Amino acid sequence: MVEWSARHVLVAGARRTGLSVVDVLLHLGARVTVADGDPAQLDTLGERPVARTQDMTTVPAGVDLVVTSPGFRTDSPLALAARAASVPMVGEPELAWWLGEDPAVCPDGPPRWLAVTGTNGKTTTTTMLEAILRAAGEDTVACGNIGLPIVDALRAGHRVLAVELSSFQLEWSPSVRPFAGAVLNLAEDHLDWHGSMAAYGAAKARVLRGEVAVGGLDDREAAALLLAAPAPRHVGFTRGEPSHGELGIVDGHLVDRAFGDRVRLAEVADVAPPGPPGEANALAAAALARAHGVSPEAVAAGLRAVAPGPHRGAVVAEAGGVRWVDDSKATNPHAAAASLAAHPGVVWVAGGLLKGADVTDVVVAHRGRLAGAVVLGRDRAVVAAALRRHAPEVPVLDVGGGDDDRVSDDEDGMLRAARAAATLARPGDTVLLAPAAASMDMFRDYAARGDAFAAAARTVAGGVGPHGATTTPDVETSPTS
């Protein structure tokens, strides 16, 4: 047990999670200093009795713990300063893990964590898991990277937590061991942050150290992490027919052969979003819920209750036989590949911040379905080069954007992209925003990017003619092939 009244804690970052950390530490009697380079964020602390600093490079004298937002790399100036001063630095999930044992926060004892990570599909799977647990009558909430800080879920008294964990959060969580954890998939992402694919995978693997490890068998990297996991029990999931110890799909049903006798859990037709990624997510959510002891009936009821979240394959406009789909959440090549696979004929809107990821495999796998591509954002030339090299028959239009360091919601840039896409689309095609890249070169986040695409799509779709394209687009584009 920690005597928090004797601790001086530096909270790095004053956004939503940071504020929640501050509040729980003040509740426990700790002395708190908050660091944030943005004075406007420090202003959000209001009247809280804390010290404040914009210095993000040093650890103040007397601090004996740093709780960091997940964005700080392990080689950031603050992390190096903490290491030099022998001050431990952890993330909010690690702090929450400790506080689960503290009766001042969890008087009924620690809740059970069911955790989800992976390159793609984390939020969808966590949402499905929460819905299944609710259908089973559990006192549960989705938390973590999905939005609600875990410390807030603890203070609210929830007994079963559906926890989404990013690789950043896991990197800063050395002792977190969920009762059951799942790695959905693993592909190149955040390599600029982790430094290598091996380090990225090692961070993800931390979710598999509890009692039950769950992994996607259709994904080579995730399957390898499952095989090496130290958890006493391993459960795989596959979109094929499951073997013993696995969940899979048989005759249009999700089937469990891991927890007791073979049993049908739900109909594939009830899974939303439909298609291979949604089915895999549903299997992972079902595996975690079944590890907790949830009945097959609750799995079915929970999956029927799920509606896809915004910016995850939403149809935002349709005219002239052309459908416009917002999958702005496809922020890495792995997610974009899954999104492209759901549509037979696509005008692909792609680009942004690739973060060191390679789009070659996406282009090679899906060039046969591409009617055209529109590239935008800072790393658009990388996407265009991959298309020229591996899909030279696909017309590519470059609409610019993201070339300076200004981060703003570039609605004009997205309107240029939509107008360019309309010149390439034909009846039956889908104009698909699946950027394969992060958004912060042009937008504050993926949601703002998706909103801008939806608005642009509705504007342009009103001018779509009988052949699926605007007759006189009022935007100049640079053909790259």
Side-chain angles (χ1 to χ4, degrees):
M1 294 297 297
V2 175
E3 182 52 60
W4 289 101
S5 62
R7 306 298 295 270
H8 182 185
V9 183
L10 175 66
V11 178
R15 296 184 182 274
R16 181 182 183 184
T17 298
L19 294 180
S20 294
V21 169
V22 168
D23 287 340
V24 72
L25 290 173
L26 291 176
H27 169 72
L28 293 168
R31 178 184 172 197
V32 178
T33 297
V34 182
D36 198 300
D38 183 353
Q41 288 303 132
L42 291 175
D43 288 343
T44 64
L45 290 162
E47 299 300 317
R48 291 176 176 87
V50 299
R52 307 161 197 226
T53 179
Q54 294 181 51
D55 182 359
M56 308 298 289
T57 63
T58 60
V59 176
V63 165
D64 53 16
L65 175 67
V66 179
V67 179
T68 178
S69 67
F72 284 91
R73 290 166 44 150
T74 55
D75 61 354
S76 66
L78 184 62
L80 295 176
R83 197 171 306 138
S86 298
V87 174
M89 185 165 170
V90 302
E92 182 261 348
E94 179 76 6
L95 177 68
W97 186 255
W98 299 349
L99 297 182
E101 300 282 353
D102 194 323
V105 179
C106 296
D108 296 325
R112 174 169 282 184
W113 290 37
L114 306 175
V116 177
T117 196
T119 300
N120 183 40
K122 295 185 295 295
T123 297
T124 299
T125 303
T126 306
T127 300
M128 290 174 169
L129 176 59
E130 179 192 40
I132 293 169
L133 293 169
R134 289 189 184 279
E138 298 285 357
D139 179 2
T140 188
V141 70
C143 56
N145 195 56
I146 200 170
L148 177 71
I150 305 170
V151 292
D152 288 348
L154 295 183
R155 298 185 72 187
H158 297 290
R159 302 306 302 151
V160 185
L161 306 184
V163 187
E164 178 184 330
L165 293 171
S166 71
S167 60
F168 302 162
Q169 290 173 312
L170 286 163
E171 185 70 42
W172 290 115
S173 302
S175 67
V176 168
R177 283 170 173 74
F179 172 78
V183 175
L184 306 176
N185 42 58
L186 193 69
E188 286 189 350
D189 197 18
H190 303 303
L191 300 190
D192 55 341
W193 198 96
H194 289 281
S196 70
M197 187 66 180
Y200 176 54
K204 293 291 191 185
R206 288 185 169 188
V207 82
L208 303 177
R209 300 179 299 180
E211 292 297 313
V212 182
V214 176
L217 301 179
D218 299 334
D219 183 278
R220 183 180 62 186
E221 299 293 339
L225 291 183
L226 177 64
L227 183 64
R233 185 170 189 179
H234 291 189
V235 175
F237 63 89
T238 172
R239 292 183 58 251
E241 184 166 349
S243 299
H244 180 72
E246 300 172 2
L247 280 73
I249 297 177
V250 179
D251 296 331
H253 288 83
L254 275 62
V255 172
D256 175 8
R257 291 194 64 194
F259 300 97
D261 296 333
R262 173 170 164 164
V263 61
R264 286 184 175 182
L265 298 176
E267 294 186 23
V268 170
D270 288 336
V271 173
E279 293 165 10
N281 297 158
L283 288 164
L288 291 171
R290 293 285 284 162
H292 178 61
V294 168
S295 71
E297 293 77 15
V299 173
L303 291 175
R304 285 195 298 269
V306 172
H311 314 298
R312 294 172 172 82
V315 177
V316 295
E318 193 165 3
V322 176
R323 177 173 291 185
W324 299 71
V325 174
D326 166 21
D327 199 358
S328 184
K329 189 64 169 66
T331 57
N332 56 66
H334 188 271
S339 187
L340 286 164
H343 307 281
V346 176
V347 175
W348 184 25
V349 181
L353 294 175
L354 285 171
K355 304 169 292 183
D358 187 355
V359 297
T360 298
D361 289 347
V362 181
V363 173
V364 171
H366 297 288
R367 57 192 170 191
R369 69 182 71 246
L370 294 179
V374 177
V375 294
L376 74 166
R378 192 171 301 174
D379 291 335
R380 63 190 183 276
V382 179
V383 182
L387 288 160
R388 282 196 302 270
R389 188 177 307 113
H390 301 288
E393 72 284 359
V394 175
V396 181
L397 298 178
D398 182 336
V399 298
D403 290 323
D404 57 27
D405 292 326
R406 176 179 56 88
V407 178
S408 62
D409 295 345
D410 191 351
E411 296 179 2
D412 290 341
M414 191 58 79
L415 185 58
R416 291 196 305 273
R419 286 172 172 157
T423 69
L424 299 173
R426 296 293 180 264
D429 287 342
T430 296
V431 177
L432 174 66
L433 175 68
S439 59
M440 286 79 74
D441 56 336
M442 295 174 65
F443 300 91
R444 67 181 180 274
D445 54 28
Y446 76 84
R449 178 171 61 185
D451 289 341
F453 175 78
R458 287 189 286 267
T459 297
V460 173
V464 173
H467 299 294
T470 53
T471 54
T472 54
D474 57 351
V475 59
E476 293 185 4
T477 58
S478 302
T480 62
S481 69

